[in-house]
Amino acid sequence: MPRLKDFLELHFVILLWGFTAILGKLITIPAVEMVAIRTLITALALGLIIYKTNAPFWLGHVRGLQMLGVGFLIAAHWILFFAAARVSSVSICLIGMATASLWTSFLEPMFTKKKIKPYEVFLALLIILGLYIIFRKETDFNSFLGISMAIGSALLASIFTIINAGLVKKIPSTTITCYEMGGAFLGTILFLPVYAVYFVEGNQLNFNLIPMDWVYLAVLILACTVYAYTAGVRLMQRISAFTMNLTVNLEPVYGIILAIFIFNESSQLSAEFYIGAGIILMSVFIYPVINTVAERRKKLQKAFPEEVVLRED
């Protein structure tokens, strides 16, 4: 069972993930090149941590390939996300990414053989409504390609979150993250030739980092990736994949709040922002209450099936 401490740490992790958007704006090199550097240094840093702590690393070919494969999904998720922002807008990406909870509500029962819970689907739809209200003034829904890429990115995020929820029960979170970041780096490197030909002017990649880029990358890698991603995977030992993806929808809200303070973007604080953020917060914080009531009802049905039937009649 998750503790209050776990939910607080989860929100801190999501706050750090929201801060990655700020760092992404501050770092001068393009997003794909940044992802390549980020995943490489993260994998090396985690490998060093595993070596120093004598944590298990080699878990056999099957497990290794499985985790590297998840890393490919993570790379594709990030690449689709940034491509969606390129062909459309950041708002469309955020609205598309909001479908992660909806995907999880359908996919998690398929992976775990559980029944689809109607209230999870309802709360996921509320999340989408909240983000739509926040970003509707900026969003051009005619950008079909951009929204399709963002929804695809959300689908991939849902899949690897569900897979990680199963892996973390058997493998240390640091080891999982190390393999997956290595797989994400490999996936990004394999994508670079296609990226250079079709998405880069002059087919020239840009890895020219200025001094401050290294400072921002250090924060991005150590705090927002090494710690945040590892902690996120570890928290899946006690928090369901749906709850993870539902709460992760607060990432754009946290990101906007940080941008207001760092870049003085006070214009973002419109009435729509408060309404949308309120809907998202309500959906996130009401979920544990609804889930607890549903679980208690299920236990009562098992313990006193005849009484429950009589009450329903």
Side-chain angles (χ1 to χ4, degrees), residues 16-32 34-35 38 81-82 85 90 138 209-210 212-213 216-217 220 224 255-256 258-268:
L16 289 176
W17 285 340
F19 192 57
T20 60
I22 306 297
L23 293 169
K25 185 174 181 178
L26 293 171
I27 295 170
T28 60
I29 63 172
V32 176
M34 181 179 63
V35 168
R38 175 186 183 183
F81 178 82
F82 291 124
V90 173
E138 300 178 21
L209 295 161
I210 63 174
M212 280 306 298
D213 284 340
Y216 298 138
L217 271 171
L220 176 67
C224 301
I256 290 173
L258 289 169
I260 288 167
F261 287 103
I262 295 172
F263 299 115
N264 196 28
E265 296 180 358
S266 57
S267 59
Q268 294 278 4

Side-chain angles (χ1 to χ4, degrees), residues 69-90:
V70 174
F72 273 65
L73 292 178
I74 294 170
H77 154 70
W78 281 339
I79 290 168
L80 274 176
F81 178 82
F82 291 124
R86 182 183 178 88
V87 302
S88 55
S89 69
V90 173

Side-chain angles (χ1 to χ4, degrees), residues 7 123 243 246 283-293:
F7 285 111
L123 291 175
T243 306
L246 185 72
S283 303
V284 170
F285 291 113
I286 203 173
Y287 171 74
V289 178
I290 297 176
N291 189 56
T292 300
V293 172

Side-chain angles (χ1 to χ4, degrees), residues 66 73 103-114 155-156 158-166 241:
Q66 185 179 13
L73 292 178
W103 286 119
T104 306
S105 66
F106 288 108
L107 292 175
E108 189 174 21
M110 294 173 61
F111 279 82
T112 61
K113 297 181 180 179
K114 295 179 181 178
L155 173 61
L156 291 172
S158 175
I159 292 171
F160 70 69
T161 301
I162 294 169
I163 294 172
N164 281 341

Side-chain angles (χ1 to χ4, degrees), residues 62 87 97 283 309:
V62 175
V87 302
M97 284 302 300
S283 303
V309 170

